[in-house]
Amino acid sequence: MPRQTELFEGGYAREIIEVPVTQELGESFMAYSLSVITSRAIPDVRDGLKPVQRRILHAMADMGMRPDRPHRKCANVVGETMGKYHPHGDGAIYDALVRMGQTFGRNITLVDPHGNFGSLDDPPAAYRYTECRLTEAAMEMLAEIDEETVEFRPTFDGERVEPLYLPGRLPNLLVNGTSGIAVGMATNMAPHNLAEVFEAIKLVMTKRRPKPTTAELMAVLPGPDFPSGGVVVDEGLAEAYETGRGSVRIRATAEIVDLTRARQGIVVTELPYLVGPERVVGRIQELMRNGKLPLVTDVKNTSDRHTGLRIEVELRPGANAKAVLTELYRLTPMEDSFGINNVVLVDGTPRTVGLYELCQHYIDHRLDVVRRRTEFRLEKARRRLHLVEGLLIALDAIDLVVSIIRSSEDAAEARDRLMEQLSLTEVQAVHILDMQLRRLTALAKLELEAEAGELRGRIDDFEKILGSEKRQRKIVLDELEELVANYGFDRRSRIVTPDHLDDVTLEEAEAEEAASRVEEPCIVALTTSGMIGQEPVSGPKPATPGRHDVLAQRVATTTHSRLAAVTSRGRVFPVAVSAVPEVTGRSRGTALTDLVPLDKGETVLTLVAGPTTGGDEAAPPPVLLVTALGVMKRVAAADLLGLAAGRTAIKLKPGDRVIAATAAPDGVDLVAVASNAQALRCEAANVPVQGAGAGGVGGMKLGEGATVVGAGIAGPGAIVLTVSDAQTAKVTDADEIPVKGRNTGGLRITKFRAEKRLEWAYVGPDTGVLLVVGTEDAPSRPDPMPETLTLHATGRDLASKATRRRWLGTGVSRW
């Protein structure tokens, strides 16, 4: 490219060189990317550390933050590292420091934390609040660094030096793994069990020709071992260990437990690697709100420091727990993937390596450390032996040495004369001159002779080590085996193949459950106290119901069917007949709240069943819903049975609630009773059949402050039983109430005296209607009466006793 030279009046530039932007970007970006790759994001294969991690450990060692010393502020470490070795942001340095001390992220931590170092869901406290020191394992990484075992280079400011890598006795890269994002590449290496890593390295060291295959290595190191445990699904580990790239699935460890006789739950005790419990709980709650997990009723995080991780998932009664667990794996972080990408720096160059190469690089590095360490120790022993031999020569001729020193003009002359007359080297002569007078004793000579013998033995051993690769390899293995004894741990993650997964979809679970049961006709009975039980068609077994346990409804169905429970809030919940226990002994089955998640104050008004045969039977009649504000609506039974759990069958206005729900085919009349003693009788056909999302139509006009207190079908021989706020009751023949049009006020059926309003009303047949009277001081105990009252007379006053009484009747609990 031609060079142009121009003069500018401002004098700030004299020469312009035209360079293509692609060339400039390519060169500059390449330099930047190489810096990020080699100096920040990718670990060195020898010690498995990134530069910032290595510098933190080196700085902590220089500061004397050893395991036997007190913890010191993390702010000191961050400042020391940033000021002397790592000229980058304090946030990145502190983040790297914290990660080396988090037990949930590393199998063997290198930093001993003190204070809030964070959790999987929460960040750590600021570095001015936390403290740290090195762990024993970190000392294994730093051991022998002062024996010329590693290369050093100048720091960024040139004022000191730092290690290019650590001696790394611990196979940190394999045991703890790592992750990092560079420019154009990334690394993500899985952690492993230390004992298994030792076996793999031992196999690589002992079986050299031919080298061990990936299958042989996986026989002793079957896969990753994550600190959080979990289940590792082996879908290609062999390829990942062969090539250095692959992916595995990690599943939470979960157990299915029985919460009640009809309800199961799922307890999660282990989660995938680096997945926090709050993240899982939040996702499950989100899916519940969106209707994606209709069989889950609640989820709680009950983890603590004593029991560890524990997430409890409550299921609806009759739900197949295996199928729900499969859905949780599919829709939540309870199953996560881990992408293996073994990118490391080998001689400063990024490379993707497999399991064999990782083991081999560790072996090569440790052999180099052992050789350099031995050479250092050999040279040190030789220097010491040289001095000891000089001292022994001096002690053997101590009189001559003393005379030479006393007759010399200065130390230089004494040194030279000692070297000449005793054949000593300069180093020996200087050391003799520095010798203390107490070393002239006979005992000192014996000590020196013993030391010399020991030094000769050590020198001989060091020379044998340097001359024998077999000895060097044995030393590496012995030291690694010692680490296993000190820091080894049991495997936390279980490894399974996809064939061993017990996944069951909801459709498969339902089909399997249906196939395992014989469909039989049965009766489902509902009581006023909220008990539900299954009876045979021939009649219930002998039972002793509890006090005030009055039968409210009996529904004919089959054991394979589902019922729809309609509540006072207009909500509909499916109830599997197979989940309803049988009526036995004193038990009427189970509490309906065990099968249906009701809110406080919410009650079930009716159970709706579909056809009990394969389609020959006529469709069940629509269900009439009557609300307290006089709204009426009929809904097809099939629509109610098809609603998802918790969906509403009627759109209620604020403050309104459903008072009655009953089957209402065309051709029958219904009667609604208001709190102001007005009663309306109209044809059920006048109330249209609407979809579940509709809000209904006007059913009964109400006076100011009045509400509907009861409604029902006026069949042959039907009565209207009303109870007032003054504890008086009255029975009226339903035939005495004339039929009127819908959305009218009806007529008055009770003349108030001391009463102000009606509290409750029953519309239906008079057969089987019982009243149990209780005294004011003990309403739960029935008042002694000569016989059970069968209501049949119109206008009968049942409040003749002096004490106030409470009543319990068919269709209601105590009021």
Side-chain angles (χ1 to χ4, degrees):
M1 184 64 62
R3 176 176 297 182
Q4 297 181 358
T5 302
E6 297 183 10
L7 295 177
F8 292 83
E9 295 181 358
Y12 58 85
R14 186 170 59 88
E15 187 176 18
I16 297 178
I17 302 175
E18 294 185 358
V19 179
V21 66
T22 55
Q23 177 183 341
E24 180 63 27
L25 286 178
E27 294 176 355
S28 300
F29 192 77
M30 180 62 70
Y32 166 73
S33 62
L34 287 175
S35 175
V36 173
I37 291 170
T38 59
S39 301
R40 299 184 72 173
I42 306 299
D44 193 288
V45 73
R46 290 168 287 194
D47 58 8
L49 297 172
K50 302 177 188 178
V52 62
Q53 297 170 329
R54 188 180 305 114
R55 288 164 176 168
I56 289 172
L57 297 180
H58 182 60
M60 292 176 69
D62 280 351
M63 297 168 68
M65 300 175 64
R66 292 171 174 79
D68 56 346
R69 307 281 182 86
H71 293 85
R72 294 177 62 183
K73 287 288 186 181
C74 291
N76 290 343
V77 180
V78 172
E80 183 82 0
T81 305
M82 182 169 55
K84 292 184 177 180
Y85 304 105
H86 196 70
H88 300 283
D90 58 339
I93 297 174
Y94 184 53
D95 181 67
L97 170 67
V98 165
R99 289 178 183 272
M100 288 193 291
Q102 292 175 331
T103 56
F104 54 81
R106 288 177 166 264
N107 280 329
I108 299 178
T109 57
L110 302 179
V111 171
D112 181 15
H114 185 71
N116 179 13
F117 263 53
S119 68
L120 287 168
D121 297 305
D122 301 305
Y127 54 60
R128 61 181 178 274
Y129 301 119
T130 57
E131 298 178 343
C132 66
R133 65 184 177 189
L134 293 172
T135 64
E136 294 288 352
M139 300 307 296
E140 301 288 354
M141 295 290 296
L142 291 160
E144 308 149 356
I145 195 173
D146 56 350
E147 294 183 313
E148 299 180 359
T149 54
V150 298
E151 299 292 338
F152 283 79
R153 66 181 175 189
T155 56
F156 68 95
D157 56 4
E159 294 186 1
R160 55 189 61 85
V161 292
E162 62 175 344
L164 284 172
Y165 53 91
L166 298 184
R169 183 179 301 172
L170 178 74
N172 176 67
L173 194 60
L174 281 164
V175 173
N176 283 324
T178 189
S179 64
I181 300 176
V183 178
M185 66 179 61
T187 183
N188 199 40
M189 305 185 68
H192 295 85
N193 187 279
L194 176 59
E196 296 173 354
V197 169
F198 165 71
E199 295 297 334
I201 292 174
K202 180 179 179 181
L203 181 61
V204 173
M205 292 190 72
T206 55
K207 186 180 179 183
R208 302 169 64 183
R209 294 183 183 86
K211 70 178 185 180
T213 63
T214 301
E216 291 174 330
L217 288 173
M218 292 186 66
V220 296
L221 194 153
D225 188 17
F226 297 99
S228 56
V231 179
V232 177
V233 183
D234 182 1
E235 292 180 316
L237 274 174
E239 180 182 357
Y241 284 155
E242 179 70 29
T243 64
R245 296 179 64 89
S247 179
V248 295
R249 281 190 293 159
I250 314 173
R251 282 190 164 189
T253 299
E255 178 187 5
I256 297 174
V257 298
D258 292 328
L259 302 178
T260 63
R261 289 187 300 173
R263 186 193 294 263
Q264 288 185 314
I266 298 172
V267 176
V268 181
T269 54
E270 294 177 351
L271 288 174
Y273 185 48
L274 299 182
V275 173
E278 291 301 327
R279 177 182 165 193
V280 175
V281 171
R283 177 58 177 165
I284 293 176
Q285 291 174 340
E286 178 186 353
L287 292 171
M288 292 171 60
R289 289 193 297 268
N290 297 335
K292 299 292 183 63
L293 290 174
L295 298 179
V296 177
T297 60
D298 193 17
V299 57
K300 294 177 290 186
N301 179 13
T302 58
S303 307
D304 59 43
R305 66 177 64 185
H306 302 292
T307 61
L309 175 69
R310 185 179 177 88
I311 299 175
E312 298 179 2
V313 181
E314 297 182 4
L315 307 182
R316 297 195 185 281
N320 187 292
K322 285 187 178 180
V324 175
L325 182 57
T326 302
E327 287 294 291
L328 291 176
Y329 284 142
R330 185 176 67 88
L331 298 174
T332 72
M334 283 177 57
E335 178 177 290
D336 201 3
S337 61
F338 185 90
I340 297 176
N341 188 23
N342 297 339
V343 178
V344 294
L345 292 178
V346 180
D347 297 329
T349 303
R351 286 180 52 189
T352 303
V353 296
L355 177 59
Y356 173 82
E357 293 174 285
L358 286 173
C359 295
Q360 188 60 57
H361 282 301
Y362 169 80
I363 294 169
D364 294 341
H365 168 57
R366 286 303 300 169
L367 288 174
D368 180 64
V369 169
V370 169
R371 282 192 295 268
R372 299 181 65 160
R373 177 187 71 189
T374 305
E375 290 172 352
F376 175 84
R377 294 175 180 176
L378 175 61
E379 181 62 27
K380 183 178 179 181
R382 284 174 174 171
R383 290 197 301 267
R384 178 59 184 169
L385 179 60
H386 184 61
L387 294 177
V388 170
E389 288 175 343
L391 291 175
L392 288 172
I393 293 174
L395 288 176
D396 288 338
I398 189 62
D399 295 334
L400 178 59
V401 170
V402 172
S403 63
I404 291 174
I405 294 174
R406 294 186 62 183
S407 60
S408 298
E409 291 288 338
D410 52 24
E413 181 184 348
R415 179 195 62 199
D416 294 339
R417 292 176 60 187
L418 287 173
M419 293 171 58
E420 178 181 355
Q421 297 184 30
L422 295 177
S423 300
L424 301 175
T425 64
E426 181 178 356
V427 174
Q428 290 174 323
V430 171
H431 193 69
I432 291 172
L433 291 174
D434 295 335
M435 181 177 62
Q436 297 175 338
L437 291 177
R438 63 183 177 85
R439 301 297 301 274
L440 301 179
T441 64
L443 180 61
K445 181 178 180 180
L446 293 177
E447 292 176 351
L448 290 174
E449 289 176 346
E451 182 182 359
E454 180 185 354
L455 287 171
R456 293 187 181 97
R458 292 170 58 188
I459 290 172
D460 182 63
D461 186 57
F462 291 150
E463 290 175 343
K464 289 180 179 179
I465 291 175
L466 293 175
S468 172
E469 184 179 356
K470 183 178 180 180
R471 282 283 306 275
Q472 297 170 16
R473 290 176 172 272
K474 187 177 184 304
I475 290 173
V476 172
L477 280 181
D478 290 344
E479 292 178 348
L480 185 54
E481 188 174 13
E482 183 180 351
L483 290 179
V484 175
N486 294 334
Y487 307 105
F489 50 90
D490 295 333
R491 168 168 276 277
R492 302 181 176 106
S493 299
R494 294 187 298 114
I495 300 177
V496 299
T497 60
D499 298 337
H500 290 83
L501 297 180
D502 194 14
D503 289 349
V504 180
T505 64
L506 293 174
E507 294 78 9
E508 292 173 347
E510 292 179 357
E512 181 181 351
E513 185 178 356
S516 63
R517 298 194 316 266
V518 178
E519 185 170 12
E520 298 177 348
C522 65
I523 300 294
V524 175
L526 178 65
T527 70
T528 58
S529 61
M531 300 296 293
I532 186 172
Q534 185 183 139
E535 305 172 353
V537 176
S538 59
K541 299 177 181 179
T544 308
R547 184 174 296 156
H548 301 331
D549 197 9
V550 182
L551 188 65
Q553 185 183 11
R554 299 179 81 236
V555 180
T557 181
T558 64
T559 54
H560 282 197
S561 300
R562 284 180 177 270
L563 304 177
V566 183
T567 74
S568 57
R569 286 186 52 192
R571 299 196 298 169
V572 179
F573 293 93
V575 177
V577 177
S578 59
V580 179
E582 294 184 0
V583 176
T584 57
R586 292 187 56 84
S587 173
R588 290 295 307 177
T590 187
L592 194 57
T593 52
D594 289 341
L595 303 178
V596 177
L598 301 177
D599 293 338
K600 185 177 181 180
E602 186 178 14
T603 59
V604 172
L605 301 177
T606 189
L607 298 175
V608 181
T612 58
T613 62
D616 298 335
E617 185 179 297
V623 177
L624 171 70
L625 304 179
V626 181
T627 75
L629 297 182
V631 177
M632 296 183 183
K633 173 184 179 180
R634 288 197 299 167
V635 185
D639 291 346
L640 294 176
L641 291 166
L643 286 178
R647 294 291 299 274
T648 56
I650 182 173
K651 188 176 181 181
L652 295 175
K653 296 179 181 179
D656 200 3
R657 61 191 178 94
V658 179
I659 294 298
T662 182
D666 293 340
V668 301
D669 294 342
L670 63 92
V671 175
V673 182
S675 59
N676 58 2
Q678 293 291 115
L680 170 67
R681 178 169 181 167
C682 66
E683 296 180 1
N686 290 339
V687 180
V689 178
Q690 298 177 305
V697 297
M700 182 178 184
K701 283 190 175 180
L702 302 173
E704 183 178 357
T707 59
V708 176
V709 294
I713 300 300
I719 63 168
V720 178
L721 168 62
T722 59
V723 182
S724 72
D725 58 344
Q727 309 301 314
T728 60
K730 176 183 178 182
V731 176
T732 304
D733 191 342
D735 291 338
E736 297 183 10
I737 303 174
V739 178
K740 291 192 175 184
R742 177 179 60 81
N743 204 22
T744 60
L747 58 83
R748 193 174 189 85
I749 62 170
T750 298
K751 183 179 180 180
F752 287 160
R753 298 189 297 271
E755 302 86 358
K756 295 182 180 180
R757 59 180 282 119
L758 297 181
E759 295 287 351
W760 173 78
Y762 163 76
V763 180
D766 63 351
T767 58
V769 180
L770 303 177
L771 291 182
V772 181
V773 183
T775 60
E776 183 179 12
D777 56 345
S780 62
R781 295 183 179 180
D783 195 31
M785 303 181 71
E787 58 183 4
T788 302
L789 295 179
T790 302
L791 302 182
H792 55 82
T794 302
R796 181 167 182 167
D797 187 358
L798 299 179
S800 59
K801 287 197 173 184
T803 57
R804 295 183 62 190
R805 305 169 186 264
R806 291 182 177 268
W807 308 84
L808 183 69
T810 300
V812 295
S813 56
R814 189 180 308 117
W815 50 269

